[in-house]
């Protein structure tokens, strides 16, 4: 089941994070993006994954903003985040924002498993549903590398900017292809899924798969109770504890009680997403570790030291998905890092401009970082 048109419209408002906040905390908080993306697909025949499985055809969906110049040197790559589509960075795009599409050519790619790029829900047998191979962040980076080289004839980009799982991809690009980008930006995301994050994701997956209707992934109708349970576990980690204490959900729903907020989220979280797709991307997230890149023998510190380009590392100070302590630990090994935590109570969504203050902070700092010669 693909995300519906309604869900896509919601992704276009406020943060467009692809996380459930994009379906609930966005109402009227941000003007519509001033530029529309052009929709594209890139097909890779016989794509061999890190798991050893070969997909006969791997599809990567992507969007572009602006125009590629004659020199092909005005490209910025925007890799997507959990269950997001290629509209997920429109909080950063516009003539008065960090990425001006009248000057830059922006390429926004969609992760395997989001329901549009190759996913459990849209791939025929023998790889349909639970038989779809677990994809890694490196699988996604390799596919997008081919897209840029073969489809767009782009051999170098000015920057790679990623939020959440997009940040995981940005770090992996810096390790796998250290000279491909001039700069890297990572917001609310780390270079490795550290153990506490793996446990969190496993709890969410367990909540979903406990629904008897899930049937090992071979369900005949969506396992609604499992998806609701998945979303409820997700919600407890999405924002900071202080966000809840101050009742900041009332920013967009002033009269809503806590009980009403919970029930609204229960009904709407992930309601338009396929259960196997949700699990596939969670597994991709869990397994990410730049240290397991070939040649680094599991040494994450050595992998981070190999990143040669300037990196703007912007964790959210209150993120429970990617805690600022994990980010601070990683930053000490990155040679040319600018470590700029986001001062926000909005937890994980702060890294995608989850409110006007965070959005302004991100655009100002990312714009300044990209402008440095």
């Amino acid at each position: 089941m693909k995300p519906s048109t309604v869900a896509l419209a919601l992704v276009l408002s406020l943060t467009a994070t692809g996380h459930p906040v994009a379906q609930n905390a966005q109402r009227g908080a941000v003007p519509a993006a001033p530029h529309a993306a052009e929709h594209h697909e890139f097909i890779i025949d016989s794509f061999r994954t890190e798991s050893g499985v070969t997909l006969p055809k791997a599809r990567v969906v992507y969007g572009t903003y602006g125009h590629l110049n004659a020199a092909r040197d005005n490209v910025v790559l925007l890799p997507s985040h959990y269950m997001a589509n290629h509209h997920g960075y429109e909080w950063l795009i516009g003539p008065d924002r960090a990425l001006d599409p009248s000057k830059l050519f922006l390429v926004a790619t969609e992760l395997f498993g989001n329901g549009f790029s190759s996913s459990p829900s849209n791939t025929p047998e023998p790889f349909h549903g639970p038989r779809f191979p677990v994809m890694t962040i490196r699988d996604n980076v390799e596919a997008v590398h081919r897209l840029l080289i073969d489809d767009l004839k782009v051999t170098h980009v000015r920057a790679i900017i990623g939020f959440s799982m997009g940040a995981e991809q940005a770090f992996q690009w810096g390790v796998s292809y250290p000279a491909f980008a001039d700069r890297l930006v990572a917001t609310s995301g780390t270079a490795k899924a550290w153990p506490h994050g793996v446990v969190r994701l496993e709890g969410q997956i367990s909540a979903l798969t406990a629904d008897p209707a899930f049937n090992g992934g071979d369900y005949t109708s969506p396992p609604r109770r499992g998806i609701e349970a998945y979303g409820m576990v997700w919600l407890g980690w999405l924002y900071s504890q202080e966000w809840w204490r101050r009742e900041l959900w009332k920013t967009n729903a002033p009269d809503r009680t806590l009980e009403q907020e919970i029930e609204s989220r229960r009904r709407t979280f992930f309601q338009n997403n396929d259960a196997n797709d949700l699990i596939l991307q969670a597994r991709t997230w869990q397994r990410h570790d730049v240290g397991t890149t070939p040649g680094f023998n599991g040494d994450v510190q050595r992998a981070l030291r190999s990143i040669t380009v300037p990196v703007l590392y912007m964790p959210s100070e209150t993120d429970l998905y990617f805690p600022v302590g994990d980010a601070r630990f990683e930053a000490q090994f990155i040679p040319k890092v600018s470590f700029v935590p986001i001062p926000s109570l909005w937890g994980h969504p702060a890294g995608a401009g989850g409110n006007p203050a965070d959005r302004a902070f991100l655009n100002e700092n990312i714009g300044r970082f990209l402008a440095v010669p």
Side-chain angles (χ1 to χ4, degrees), residues 223-264:
R224 295 294 182 194
R225 293 181 64 182
I227 291 172
E228 286 185 4
Y230 186 89
M232 283 296 95
V233 179
W234 192 278
L235 179 60
W237 294 81
L238 185 61
Y239 303 106
S240 73
Q241 295 94 337
E242 187 73 0
W243 188 94
W244 289 102
R245 189 182 72 79
R246 297 192 185 191
E247 301 185 343
L248 292 181
W249 70 84
K250 293 186 176 182
T251 302
N252 300 300
D255 299 324
R256 183 176 290 176
T257 66
L258 174 60
E259 292 74 16
Q260 290 170 333
E261 177 70 9
I262 291 171
E263 285 310 305
S264 174

mmCIF file of all heavy atoms in Angstrom, residues 223-264:
data_model
loop_
_atom_site.group_PDB
_atom_site.id
_atom_site.type_symbol
_atom_site.label_atom_id
_atom_site.label_comp_id
_atom_site.label_asym_id
_atom_site.label_seq_id
_atom_site.Cartn_x
_atom_site.Cartn_y
_atom_site.Cartn_z
ATOM 1 N N PRO A 223 -2.499 -4.791 8.934
ATOM 2 C CA PRO A 223 -2.597 -5.083 10.377
ATOM 3 C C PRO A 223 -2.743 -3.787 11.163
ATOM 4 O O PRO A 223 -1.776 -3.280 11.743
ATOM 5 C CB PRO A 223 -1.283 -5.799 10.677
ATOM 6 C CG PRO A 223 -0.324 -5.269 9.652
ATOM 7 C CD PRO A 223 -1.134 -4.994 8.419
ATOM 8 N N ARG A 224 -3.947 -3.248 11.184
ATOM 9 C CA ARG A 224 -4.178 -1.912 11.729
ATOM 10 C C ARG A 224 -3.778 -1.776 13.193
ATOM 11 O O ARG A 224 -3.193 -0.762 13.590
ATOM 12 C CB ARG A 224 -5.659 -1.534 11.574
ATOM 13 C CG ARG A 224 -6.129 -1.385 10.138
ATOM 14 C CD ARG A 224 -5.454 -0.214 9.460
ATOM 15 N NE ARG A 224 -5.917 -0.026 8.092
ATOM 16 C CZ ARG A 224 -5.314 0.742 7.205
ATOM 17 N NH1 ARG A 224 -4.202 1.388 7.534
ATOM 18 N NH2 ARG A 224 -5.790 0.866 5.986
ATOM 19 N N ARG A 225 -4.124 -2.781 14.010
ATOM 20 C CA ARG A 225 -3.791 -2.672 15.430
ATOM 21 C C ARG A 225 -2.281 -2.660 15.634
ATOM 22 O O ARG A 225 -1.759 -1.916 16.476
ATOM 23 C CB ARG A 225 -4.429 -3.820 16.200
ATOM 24 C CG ARG A 225 -5.954 -3.760 16.232
ATOM 25 C CD ARG A 225 -6.552 -4.897 17.026
ATOM 26 N NE ARG A 225 -6.185 -4.829 18.431
ATOM 27 C CZ ARG A 225 -6.551 -5.744 19.333
ATOM 28 N NH1 ARG A 225 -7.261 -6.799 18.968
ATOM 29 N NH2 ARG A 225 -6.180 -5.620 20.594
ATOM 30 N N GLY A 226 -1.563 -3.446 14.854
ATOM 31 C CA GLY A 226 -0.111 -3.447 14.950
ATOM 32 C C GLY A 226 0.492 -2.135 14.499
ATOM 33 O O GLY A 226 1.442 -1.635 15.119
ATOM 34 N N ILE A 227 -0.056 -1.570 13.439
ATOM 35 C CA ILE A 227 0.449 -0.282 12.947
ATOM 36 C C ILE A 227 0.176 0.813 13.974
ATOM 37 O O ILE A 227 1.022 1.686 14.217
ATOM 38 C CB ILE A 227 -0.166 0.040 11.580
ATOM 39 C CG1 ILE A 227 0.385 -0.921 10.515
ATOM 40 C CG2 ILE A 227 0.116 1.488 11.180
ATOM 41 C CD1 ILE A 227 -0.285 -0.813 9.160
ATOM 42 N N GLU A 228 -1.006 0.772 14.607
ATOM 43 C CA GLU A 228 -1.297 1.754 15.649
ATOM 44 C C GLU A 228 -0.335 1.605 16.823
ATOM 45 O O GLU A 228 0.150 2.610 17.377
ATOM 46 C CB GLU A 228 -2.738 1.598 16.138
ATOM 47 C CG GLU A 228 -3.776 2.110 15.148
ATOM 48 C CD GLU A 228 -5.180 2.050 15.714
ATOM 49 O OE1 GLU A 228 -5.329 1.679 16.907
ATOM 50 O OE2 GLU A 228 -6.128 2.393 14.978
ATOM 51 N N ALA A 229 -0.049 0.376 17.220
ATOM 52 C CA ALA A 229 0.889 0.152 18.322
ATOM 53 C C ALA A 229 2.283 0.643 17.957
ATOM 54 O O ALA A 229 2.984 1.244 18.786
ATOM 55 C CB ALA A 229 0.918 -1.333 18.689
ATOM 56 N N TYR A 230 2.684 0.390 16.723
ATOM 57 C CA TYR A 230 3.972 0.871 16.222
ATOM 58 C C TYR A 230 4.052 2.387 16.360
ATOM 59 O O TYR A 230 5.039 2.947 16.841
ATOM 60 C CB TYR A 230 4.096 0.442 14.764
ATOM 61 C CG TYR A 230 5.415 0.721 14.085
ATOM 62 C CD1 TYR A 230 6.447 -0.209 14.124
ATOM 63 C CD2 TYR A 230 5.624 1.885 13.349
ATOM 64 C CE1 TYR A 230 7.640 0.009 13.467
ATOM 65 C CE2 TYR A 230 6.807 2.122 12.695
ATOM 66 C CZ TYR A 230 7.819 1.184 12.750
ATOM 67 O OH TYR A 230 8.999 1.422 12.089
ATOM 68 N N GLY A 231 2.975 3.061 15.935
ATOM 69 C CA GLY A 231 2.955 4.513 16.008
ATOM 70 C C GLY A 231 2.975 5.048 17.420
ATOM 71 O O GLY A 231 3.604 6.077 17.701
ATOM 72 N N MET A 232 2.317 4.357 18.333
ATOM 73 C CA MET A 232 2.306 4.814 19.712
ATOM 74 C C MET A 232 3.684 4.705 20.352
ATOM 75 O O MET A 232 4.105 5.576 21.119
ATOM 76 C CB MET A 232 1.279 4.022 20.515
ATOM 77 C CG MET A 232 -0.165 4.443 20.266
ATOM 78 S SD MET A 232 -0.533 6.160 20.779
ATOM 79 C CE MET A 232 -0.299 7.053 19.239
ATOM 80 N N VAL A 233 4.392 3.611 20.058
ATOM 81 C CA VAL A 233 5.761 3.514 20.558
ATOM 82 C C VAL A 233 6.616 4.621 19.945
ATOM 83 O O VAL A 233 7.418 5.273 20.620
ATOM 84 C CB VAL A 233 6.367 2.126 20.259
ATOM 85 C CG1 VAL A 233 7.812 2.055 20.762
ATOM 86 C CG2 VAL A 233 5.538 1.027 20.905
ATOM 87 N N TRP A 234 6.423 4.847 18.652
ATOM 88 C CA TRP A 234 7.165 5.894 17.944
ATOM 89 C C TRP A 234 6.934 7.253 18.593
ATOM 90 O O TRP A 234 7.861 8.032 18.801
ATOM 91 C CB TRP A 234 6.708 5.917 16.485
ATOM 92 C CG TRP A 234 7.554 6.718 15.562
ATOM 93 C CD1 TRP A 234 7.517 8.067 15.372
ATOM 94 C CD2 TRP A 234 8.578 6.227 14.700
ATOM 95 N NE1 TRP A 234 8.450 8.451 14.437
ATOM 96 C CE2 TRP A 234 9.109 7.326 14.010
ATOM 97 C CE3 TRP A 234 9.073 4.947 14.440
ATOM 98 C CZ2 TRP A 234 10.131 7.198 13.073
ATOM 99 C CZ3 TRP A 234 10.088 4.825 13.504
ATOM 100 C CH2 TRP A 234 10.598 5.939 12.836
ATOM 101 N N LEU A 235 5.667 7.542 18.910
ATOM 102 C CA LEU A 235 5.310 8.858 19.448
ATOM 103 C C LEU A 235 6.025 9.163 20.747
ATOM 104 O O LEU A 235 6.424 10.305 21.000
ATOM 105 C CB LEU A 235 3.789 8.920 19.650
ATOM 106 C CG LEU A 235 3.228 10.213 20.240
ATOM 107 C CD1 LEU A 235 3.560 11.411 19.348
ATOM 108 C CD2 LEU A 235 1.724 10.087 20.443
ATOM 109 N N GLY A 236 6.213 8.149 21.589
ATOM 110 C CA GLY A 236 6.864 8.385 22.869
ATOM 111 C C GLY A 236 8.299 8.852 22.761
ATOM 112 O O GLY A 236 8.853 9.407 23.718
ATOM 113 N N TRP A 237 8.906 8.632 21.612
ATOM 114 C CA TRP A 237 10.306 9.027 21.399
ATOM 115 C C TRP A 237 10.450 10.246 20.482
ATOM 116 O O TRP A 237 11.545 10.785 20.352
ATOM 117 C CB TRP A 237 11.074 7.862 20.761
ATOM 118 C CG TRP A 237 11.200 6.673 21.634
ATOM 119 C CD1 TRP A 237 10.272 5.694 21.847
ATOM 120 C CD2 TRP A 237 12.337 6.320 22.424
ATOM 121 N NE1 TRP A 237 10.749 4.748 22.708
ATOM 122 C CE2 TRP A 237 12.019 5.106 23.083
ATOM 123 C CE3 TRP A 237 13.590 6.891 22.633
ATOM 124 C CZ2 TRP A 237 12.918 4.465 23.937
ATOM 125 C CZ3 TRP A 237 14.482 6.254 23.477
ATOM 126 C CH2 TRP A 237 14.139 5.063 24.125
ATOM 127 N N LEU A 238 9.381 10.666 19.862
ATOM 128 C CA LEU A 238 9.480 11.666 18.794
ATOM 129 C C LEU A 238 9.884 13.038 19.305
ATOM 130 O O LEU A 238 10.747 13.700 18.737
ATOM 131 C CB LEU A 238 8.142 11.745 18.052
ATOM 132 C CG LEU A 238 8.087 12.651 16.832
ATOM 133 C CD1 LEU A 238 9.078 12.203 15.762
ATOM 134 C CD2 LEU A 238 6.661 12.665 16.261
ATOM 135 N N TYR A 239 9.247 13.481 20.378
ATOM 136 C CA TYR A 239 9.514 14.798 20.953
ATOM 137 C C TYR A 239 10.220 14.657 22.296
ATOM 138 O O TYR A 239 10.281 13.572 22.867
ATOM 139 C CB TYR A 239 8.200 15.562 21.158
ATOM 140 C CG TYR A 239 7.385 15.730 19.912
ATOM 141 C CD1 TYR A 239 6.227 14.982 19.708
ATOM 142 C CD2 TYR A 239 7.760 16.641 18.919
ATOM 143 C CE1 TYR A 239 5.460 15.134 18.559
ATOM 144 C CE2 TYR A 239 7.007 16.800 17.780
ATOM 145 C CZ TYR A 239 5.856 16.043 17.600
ATOM 146 O OH TYR A 239 5.108 16.190 16.462
ATOM 147 N N SER A 240 10.693 15.769 22.821
ATOM 148 C CA SER A 240 11.359 15.727 24.120
ATOM 149 C C SER A 240 10.338 15.638 25.250
ATOM 150 O O SER A 240 9.148 15.961 25.088
ATOM 151 C CB SER A 240 12.210 16.987 24.304
ATOM 152 O OG SER A 240 11.385 18.130 24.534
ATOM 153 N N GLN A 241 10.814 15.235 26.417
ATOM 154 C CA GLN A 241 9.947 15.184 27.590
ATOM 155 C C GLN A 241 9.412 16.572 27.922
ATOM 156 O O GLN A 241 8.248 16.731 28.309
ATOM 157 C CB GLN A 241 10.705 14.620 28.789
ATOM 158 C CG GLN A 241 11.137 13.168 28.629
ATOM 159 C CD GLN A 241 12.554 13.018 28.097
ATOM 160 O OE1 GLN A 241 13.084 13.931 27.454
ATOM 161 N NE2 GLN A 241 13.166 11.874 28.361
ATOM 162 N N GLU A 242 10.270 17.579 27.734
ATOM 163 C CA GLU A 242 9.853 18.950 28.026
ATOM 164 C C GLU A 242 8.786 19.419 27.043
ATOM 165 O O GLU A 242 7.900 20.200 27.406
ATOM 166 C CB GLU A 242 11.077 19.883 27.989
ATOM 167 C CG GLU A 242 10.815 21.303 28.441
ATOM 168 C CD GLU A 242 10.612 21.429 29.949
ATOM 169 O OE1 GLU A 242 10.665 20.416 30.666
ATOM 170 O OE2 GLU A 242 10.393 22.564 30.398
ATOM 171 N N TRP A 243 8.856 18.980 25.814
ATOM 172 C CA TRP A 243 7.826 19.308 24.810
ATOM 173 C C TRP A 243 6.464 18.864 25.314
ATOM 174 O O TRP A 243 5.473 19.599 25.223
ATOM 175 C CB TRP A 243 8.171 18.606 23.500
ATOM 176 C CG TRP A 243 7.334 18.967 22.314
ATOM 177 C CD1 TRP A 243 7.616 19.914 21.371
ATOM 178 C CD2 TRP A 243 6.090 18.350 21.908
ATOM 179 N NE1 TRP A 243 6.632 19.946 20.402
ATOM 180 C CE2 TRP A 243 5.685 18.990 20.708
ATOM 181 C CE3 TRP A 243 5.296 17.339 22.427
ATOM 182 C CZ2 TRP A 243 4.507 18.652 20.025
ATOM 183 C CZ3 TRP A 243 4.120 16.991 21.763
ATOM 184 C CH2 TRP A 243 3.738 17.642 20.579
ATOM 185 N N TRP A 244 6.416 17.659 25.888
ATOM 186 C CA TRP A 244 5.154 17.147 26.417
ATOM 187 C C TRP A 244 4.746 17.894 27.681
ATOM 188 O O TRP A 244 3.563 18.226 27.856
ATOM 189 C CB TRP A 244 5.268 15.653 26.700
ATOM 190 C CG TRP A 244 5.340 14.830 25.452
ATOM 191 C CD1 TRP A 244 6.456 14.267 24.894
ATOM 192 C CD2 TRP A 244 4.249 14.472 24.589
ATOM 193 N NE1 TRP A 244 6.128 13.597 23.741
ATOM 194 C CE2 TRP A 244 4.786 13.695 23.534
ATOM 195 C CE3 TRP A 244 2.879 14.731 24.621
ATOM 196 C CZ2 TRP A 244 3.992 13.185 22.511
ATOM 197 C CZ3 TRP A 244 2.082 14.217 23.606
ATOM 198 C CH2 TRP A 244 2.634 13.455 22.571
ATOM 199 N N ARG A 245 5.681 18.173 28.575
ATOM 200 C CA ARG A 245 5.330 18.863 29.820
ATOM 201 C C ARG A 245 4.738 20.232 29.534
ATOM 202 O O ARG A 245 3.776 20.663 30.184
ATOM 203 C CB ARG A 245 6.564 19.003 30.722
ATOM 204 C CG ARG A 245 6.227 19.513 32.125
ATOM 205 C CD ARG A 245 7.462 19.699 32.980
ATOM 206 N NE ARG A 245 8.257 20.846 32.561
ATOM 207 C CZ ARG A 245 7.965 22.114 32.864
ATOM 208 N NH1 ARG A 245 6.888 22.406 33.575
ATOM 209 N NH2 ARG A 245 8.742 23.100 32.457
ATOM 210 N N ARG A 246 5.287 20.913 28.518
ATOM 211 C CA ARG A 246 4.789 22.254 28.166
ATOM 212 C C ARG A 246 3.590 22.210 27.222
ATOM 213 O O ARG A 246 3.107 23.252 26.795
ATOM 214 C CB ARG A 246 5.916 23.070 27.526
ATOM 215 C CG ARG A 246 7.086 23.318 28.453
ATOM 216 C CD ARG A 246 8.028 24.349 27.882
ATOM 217 N NE ARG A 246 9.210 24.513 28.699
ATOM 218 C CZ ARG A 246 10.095 25.505 28.549
ATOM 219 N NH1 ARG A 246 9.908 26.417 27.597
ATOM 220 N NH2 ARG A 246 11.152 25.586 29.325
ATOM 221 N N GLU A 247 3.147 20.999 26.896
ATOM 222 C CA GLU A 247 1.976 20.820 26.033
ATOM 223 C C GLU A 247 2.136 21.544 24.695
ATOM 224 O O GLU A 247 1.225 22.201 24.198
ATOM 225 C CB GLU A 247 0.702 21.276 26.751
ATOM 226 C CG GLU A 247 0.446 20.522 28.048
ATOM 227 C CD GLU A 247 -0.877 20.889 28.710
ATOM 228 O OE1 GLU A 247 -1.462 21.946 28.359
ATOM 229 O OE2 GLU A 247 -1.327 20.130 29.591
ATOM 230 N N LEU A 248 3.287 21.346 24.084
ATOM 231 C CA LEU A 248 3.570 22.073 22.843
ATOM 232 C C LEU A 248 2.800 21.546 21.647
ATOM 233 O O LEU A 248 2.839 22.161 20.586
ATOM 234 C CB LEU A 248 5.082 22.075 22.569
ATOM 235 C CG LEU A 248 5.921 22.905 23.553
ATOM 236 C CD1 LEU A 248 7.400 22.866 23.168
ATOM 237 C CD2 LEU A 248 5.438 24.355 23.604
ATOM 238 N N TRP A 249 2.087 20.423 21.804
ATOM 239 C CA TRP A 249 1.206 20.034 20.708
ATOM 240 C C TRP A 249 0.136 21.103 20.473
ATOM 241 O O TRP A 249 -0.422 21.216 19.387
ATOM 242 C CB TRP A 249 0.560 18.682 20.998
ATOM 243 C CG TRP A 249 -0.454 18.679 22.103
ATOM 244 C CD1 TRP A 249 -1.782 19.011 22.012
ATOM 245 C CD2 TRP A 249 -0.227 18.342 23.479
ATOM 246 N NE1 TRP A 249 -2.394 18.891 23.230
ATOM 247 C CE2 TRP A 249 -1.470 18.472 24.151
ATOM 248 C CE3 TRP A 249 0.890 17.915 24.186
ATOM 249 C CZ2 TRP A 249 -1.610 18.212 25.518
ATOM 250 C CZ3 TRP A 249 0.746 17.651 25.535
ATOM 251 C CH2 TRP A 249 -0.476 17.811 26.186
ATOM 252 N N LYS A 250 -0.107 21.922 21.495
ATOM 253 C CA LYS A 250 -1.117 22.967 21.373
ATOM 254 C C LYS A 250 -0.660 24.122 20.482
ATOM 255 O O LYS A 250 -1.449 25.021 20.183
ATOM 256 C CB LYS A 250 -1.502 23.475 22.758
ATOM 257 C CG LYS A 250 -2.232 22.425 23.591
ATOM 258 C CD LYS A 250 -2.744 22.988 24.898
ATOM 259 C CE LYS A 250 -3.554 21.932 25.656
ATOM 260 N NZ LYS A 250 -4.110 22.461 26.922
ATOM 261 N N THR A 251 0.611 24.075 20.057
ATOM 262 C CA THR A 251 1.079 25.063 19.071
ATOM 263 C C THR A 251 0.189 25.055 17.844
ATOM 264 O O THR A 251 -0.114 26.098 17.260
ATOM 265 C CB THR A 251 2.532 24.748 18.658
ATOM 266 O OG1 THR A 251 3.365 24.741 19.814
ATOM 267 C CG2 THR A 251 3.048 25.776 17.656
ATOM 268 N N ASN A 252 -0.253 23.872 17.443
ATOM 269 C CA ASN A 252 -1.063 23.729 16.243
ATOM 270 C C ASN A 252 -2.503 23.309 16.530
ATOM 271 O O ASN A 252 -3.333 23.299 15.621
ATOM 272 C CB ASN A 252 -0.415 22.704 15.308
ATOM 273 C CG ASN A 252 0.975 23.123 14.904
ATOM 274 O OD1 ASN A 252 1.165 24.169 14.305
ATOM 275 N ND2 ASN A 252 1.967 22.327 15.275
ATOM 276 N N ALA A 253 -2.782 22.930 17.774
ATOM 277 C CA ALA A 253 -4.144 22.530 18.153
ATOM 278 C C ALA A 253 -4.417 23.068 19.555
ATOM 279 O O ALA A 253 -4.391 22.316 20.539
ATOM 280 C CB ALA A 253 -4.282 21.010 18.108
ATOM 281 N N PRO A 254 -4.690 24.371 19.682
ATOM 282 C CA PRO A 254 -4.740 25.028 20.993
ATOM 283 C C PRO A 254 -5.725 24.426 21.985
ATOM 284 O O PRO A 254 -5.487 24.462 23.195
ATOM 285 C CB PRO A 254 -5.126 26.468 20.642
ATOM 286 C CG PRO A 254 -4.718 26.640 19.217
ATOM 287 C CD PRO A 254 -4.906 25.303 18.574
ATOM 288 N N ASP A 255 -6.823 23.873 21.517
ATOM 289 C CA ASP A 255 -7.861 23.392 22.423
ATOM 290 C C ASP A 255 -7.788 21.887 22.686
ATOM 291 O O ASP A 255 -8.649 21.333 23.366
ATOM 292 C CB ASP A 255 -9.243 23.736 21.844
ATOM 293 C CG ASP A 255 -9.437 25.233 21.675
ATOM 294 O OD1 ASP A 255 -8.932 25.985 22.531
ATOM 295 O OD2 ASP A 255 -10.070 25.649 20.689
ATOM 296 N N ARG A 256 -6.771 21.227 22.174
ATOM 297 C CA ARG A 256 -6.717 19.771 22.266
ATOM 298 C C ARG A 256 -6.119 19.326 23.594
ATOM 299 O O ARG A 256 -5.067 19.801 24.017
ATOM 300 C CB ARG A 256 -5.900 19.208 21.107
ATOM 301 C CG ARG A 256 -5.847 17.681 21.076
ATOM 302 C CD ARG A 256 -5.110 17.180 19.856
ATOM 303 N NE ARG A 256 -5.868 17.413 18.644
ATOM 304 C CZ ARG A 256 -5.428 17.150 17.419
ATOM 305 N NH1 ARG A 256 -4.217 16.640 17.264
ATOM 306 N NH2 ARG A 256 -6.183 17.393 16.377
ATOM 307 N N THR A 257 -6.784 18.389 24.249
ATOM 308 C CA THR A 257 -6.263 17.806 25.485
ATOM 309 C C THR A 257 -5.219 16.736 25.149
ATOM 310 O O THR A 257 -5.097 16.297 24.003
ATOM 311 C CB THR A 257 -7.385 17.151 26.297
ATOM 312 O OG1 THR A 257 -7.892 16.024 25.562
ATOM 313 C CG2 THR A 257 -8.504 18.142 26.577
ATOM 314 N N LEU A 258 -4.507 16.283 26.185
ATOM 315 C CA LEU A 258 -3.528 15.215 25.975
ATOM 316 C C LEU A 258 -4.219 13.950 25.469
ATOM 317 O O LEU A 258 -3.725 13.297 24.545
ATOM 318 C CB LEU A 258 -2.785 14.919 27.280
ATOM 319 C CG LEU A 258 -1.820 13.720 27.240
ATOM 320 C CD1 LEU A 258 -0.730 13.934 26.191
ATOM 321 C CD2 LEU A 258 -1.205 13.498 28.621
ATOM 322 N N GLU A 259 -5.354 13.616 26.059
ATOM 323 C CA GLU A 259 -6.073 12.420 25.624
ATOM 324 C C GLU A 259 -6.500 12.519 24.170
ATOM 325 O O GLU A 259 -6.391 11.548 23.398
ATOM 326 C CB GLU A 259 -7.296 12.192 26.515
ATOM 327 C CG GLU A 259 -6.967 11.805 27.945
ATOM 328 C CD GLU A 259 -6.451 12.978 28.793
ATOM 329 O OE1 GLU A 259 -6.627 14.154 28.361
ATOM 330 O OE2 GLU A 259 -5.864 12.720 29.858
ATOM 331 N N GLN A 260 -6.942 13.692 23.766
ATOM 332 C CA GLN A 260 -7.338 13.899 22.374
ATOM 333 C C GLN A 260 -6.135 13.835 21.442
ATOM 334 O O GLN A 260 -6.225 13.301 20.326
ATOM 335 C CB GLN A 260 -8.050 15.250 22.229
ATOM 336 C CG GLN A 260 -9.415 15.292 22.871
ATOM 337 C CD GLN A 260 -9.976 16.702 22.927
ATOM 338 O OE1 GLN A 260 -9.241 17.691 22.954
ATOM 339 N NE2 GLN A 260 -11.307 16.813 22.956
ATOM 340 N N GLU A 261 -5.004 14.362 21.906
ATOM 341 C CA GLU A 261 -3.789 14.307 21.087
ATOM 342 C C GLU A 261 -3.357 12.858 20.867
ATOM 343 O O GLU A 261 -3.029 12.456 19.751
ATOM 344 C CB GLU A 261 -2.664 15.092 21.767
ATOM 345 C CG GLU A 261 -1.334 15.060 21.046
ATOM 346 C CD GLU A 261 -1.317 15.834 19.736
ATOM 347 O OE1 GLU A 261 -2.288 16.557 19.440
ATOM 348 O OE2 GLU A 261 -0.316 15.705 18.995
ATOM 349 N N ILE A 262 -3.378 12.076 21.928
ATOM 350 C CA ILE A 262 -2.983 10.672 21.806
ATOM 351 C C ILE A 262 -3.906 9.935 20.843
ATOM 352 O O ILE A 262 -3.445 9.182 19.975
ATOM 353 C CB ILE A 262 -2.982 9.997 23.188
ATOM 354 C CG1 ILE A 262 -1.843 10.563 24.044
ATOM 355 C CG2 ILE A 262 -2.840 8.483 23.056
ATOM 356 C CD1 ILE A 262 -1.881 10.110 25.496
ATOM 357 N N GLU A 263 -5.217 10.128 20.977
ATOM 358 C CA GLU A 263 -6.149 9.427 20.105
ATOM 359 C C GLU A 263 -6.024 9.884 18.653
ATOM 360 O O GLU A 263 -6.151 9.084 17.725
ATOM 361 C CB GLU A 263 -7.577 9.611 20.606
ATOM 362 C CG GLU A 263 -7.895 8.778 21.828
ATOM 363 C CD GLU A 263 -7.502 7.315 21.637
ATOM 364 O OE1 GLU A 263 -7.957 6.692 20.651
ATOM 365 O OE2 GLU A 263 -6.719 6.799 22.465
ATOM 366 N N SER A 264 -5.757 11.171 18.456
ATOM 367 C CA SER A 264 -5.550 11.663 17.091
ATOM 368 C C SER A 264 -4.333 11.007 16.468
ATOM 369 O O SER A 264 -4.377 10.552 15.310
ATOM 370 C CB SER A 264 -5.376 13.188 17.107
ATOM 371 O OG SER A 264 -5.036 13.671 15.819
#
